[in-house]
Amino acid sequence: MTAETAPEPTTAPLDLSQDVAVLTAALMDINSVSGNEKDLADAVDVALRAIPELRVVRDGDSIIARTELGRPERVILAGHLDTVPLPTTPGARGTVPSTWDSGTPGKGVLYGRGATDMKGGVAVQLALAATMFDGGAVPGRDVTFVFYDHEEVEAVKSGLGRLVRNHGDLLDGDFAILLEPTHGTVEGGCNGTSRFEATTVGEAAHSARAWMGSNAIHAAAPILARLAAYEPQTINVDGLDYRESLNAVKINGGTAGNVIPDRCVVEINYRFAPDKSPEQAEAVVRELLAGFEVVRTDAAAGARPGLNHPAAASFVAAVGAEPKPKYGWTDVARFSELGIPAVNFGPGDPLLAHKDEEHVDADAIRECLRVLRSWLAE
């Protein structure tokens, strides 16, 4: 789709002027499980193209919308359109369509898939885009709005990664805010993540004559023992304490109930502080599991918080709460790789993301919008 072509809408048009919490519900009601983002992307695309001050570019189901005011500072506000699959538990409220616990739209708590992760943040982006020029007001900063697909799946499918490859020039900026849920507190940077397979090899035999073989699952016991005994570090990076974790997350071995297993694979996930590169993190795992066959299967670098950047410092001051570290990996790391300091800041409790009872308080969404609107106008 070209920058000039608008899609034919397949859902009801989005009203960006309505209360931002009600707008969140409207976004949630458009099912956008990863791989099924097109309807929501179409609706967002149409809504953004109705704002004359924005330049809009679409790539697949990802969209960039930019002000071009010539301001000395440009801020990127980014959020993903997709969600994890809908809950399968009967009666779960974290599904589609959304529901209000009060029964009245805009009042109380909003339940449904994407309530925290992260339709509330996307609604804030859209509300800001639609109202930045209200009443003749002119923003004090240029803003790039980024909406992208395929965040909740493997990194190779990431819509943000595709935008970086295809439209990297449109993602230049001085500071980026990813509107992932943070309880309305700035979370700086993020941990990196890497995955490994540690393999043991034995010799198959009939289980009735086990002494004729060598049990690969038993041979994996020292791997599990070392992981269980390992004490993860807490590392201060630029003033924030990042807690690491190193765990076995899956084990696979054996072929039948009467066969001594000749192969066992332990899958390991290491969440490492952003003071380390993926290669340095790999060295930690290899040292711990010396003597075993270890293969790194996946890795994503973390991001330093960058809170000493003037734009980041002014934003933290505007939020007015002590910043915290982000323990999980988020796309702030992609912006960090581009040399753009980035933080996480959005409405909702991150611990509710992906839950069967996923929900967000309407006032938390409104407060997020208020803070960003005030700061952008400075």
Side-chain angles (χ1 to χ4, degrees), residues 220-231:
I223 296 175
L224 300 177
R226 293 185 197 180
L227 290 171
Y230 180 78
E231 295 186 5

Side-chain angles (χ1 to χ4, degrees), residues 76-378:
I76 299 171
L77 301 179
H80 61 84
L81 299 175
D82 62 323
T83 71
V84 295
L86 305 185
T88 58
T89 305
R93 290 186 290 179
T95 187
V96 173
S98 62
T99 57
W100 291 94
D101 71 338
S102 66
T104 302
K107 292 187 177 181
V109 178
L110 175 62
Y111 282 81
R113 179 60 79 223
T116 57
D117 192 11
M118 55 170 295
K119 298 293 179 68
V122 171
V124 169
Q125 289 178 266
L126 291 170
L128 285 168
T131 60
M132 288 179 69
F133 297 90
D134 278 2
V138 180
R141 297 172 169 88
D142 264 310
V143 182
T144 300
F145 298 95
V146 183
F147 306 86
Y148 56 100
D149 59 287
H150 285 91
E151 190 272 347
E152 299 287 7
V153 291
E154 54 268 38
V156 70
K157 294 182 178 180
S158 168
L160 182 57
R162 188 176 65 252
L163 289 176
V164 170
R165 293 191 298 271
N166 297 344
H167 305 282
D169 59 319
L170 299 181
L171 295 176
D172 287 340
D174 300 290
F175 177 53
I177 300 171
L178 186 64
L179 279 90
E180 291 274 10
T182 64
H183 250 330
T185 298
V186 172
E187 293 185 344
C190 69
N191 274 344
T193 181
S194 54
R195 289 180 170 80
F196 303 86
E197 291 183 349
T199 301
T200 55
V201 178
E203 182 180 354
H206 196 295
S207 60
R209 294 177 290 278
W211 59 88
M212 299 298 294
S214 177
N215 194 311
I217 292 179
H218 291 179
I223 296 175
L224 300 177
R226 293 185 197 180
L227 290 171
Y230 180 78
E231 295 186 5
Q233 293 182 297
T234 297
I235 299 174
N236 187 280
V237 181
D238 298 341
L240 297 181
D241 289 331
Y242 290 85
R243 184 175 179 177
E244 297 190 329
S245 63
L246 178 59
N247 292 280
V249 293
K250 189 184 296 185
I251 188 165
N252 183 35
T255 58
N258 59 353
V259 177
I260 297 299
D262 61 356
R263 180 180 173 85
C264 180
V265 178
V266 180
E267 295 187 26
I268 299 160
N269 183 212
Y270 182 24
R271 301 291 178 132
F272 55 92
D275 67 320
K276 299 180 182 65
S277 67
E279 290 70 30
Q280 290 170 323
E282 180 176 350
V284 171
V285 176
R286 289 191 178 280
E287 180 179 0
L288 179 67
L289 299 181
F292 291 96
E293 178 188 340
V294 176
V295 176
R296 191 179 81 183
T297 59
D298 187 30
R304 301 182 76 95
L307 298 181
N308 56 347
H309 187 279
S314 71
F315 181 62
V316 168
V319 173
E322 189 73 21
K324 299 178 180 180
K326 170 63 76 174
Y327 294 132
W329 188 91
T330 73
D331 276 312
V332 297
R334 294 188 186 274
F335 291 109
S336 181
E337 287 179 354
L338 296 174
I340 303 171
V343 299
N344 305 275
F345 174 76
D349 182 350
L351 298 181
L352 295 174
H354 307 180
K355 291 282 192 177
D356 282 359
E357 297 293 306
E358 187 176 356
H359 59 271
V360 64
D361 191 287
D363 285 341
I365 306 172
R366 297 186 186 108
E367 177 62 12
C368 178
L369 174 61
R370 184 197 67 76
V371 170
L372 281 166
R373 179 179 283 153
S374 175
W375 177 70
L376 288 171
E378 292 179 357

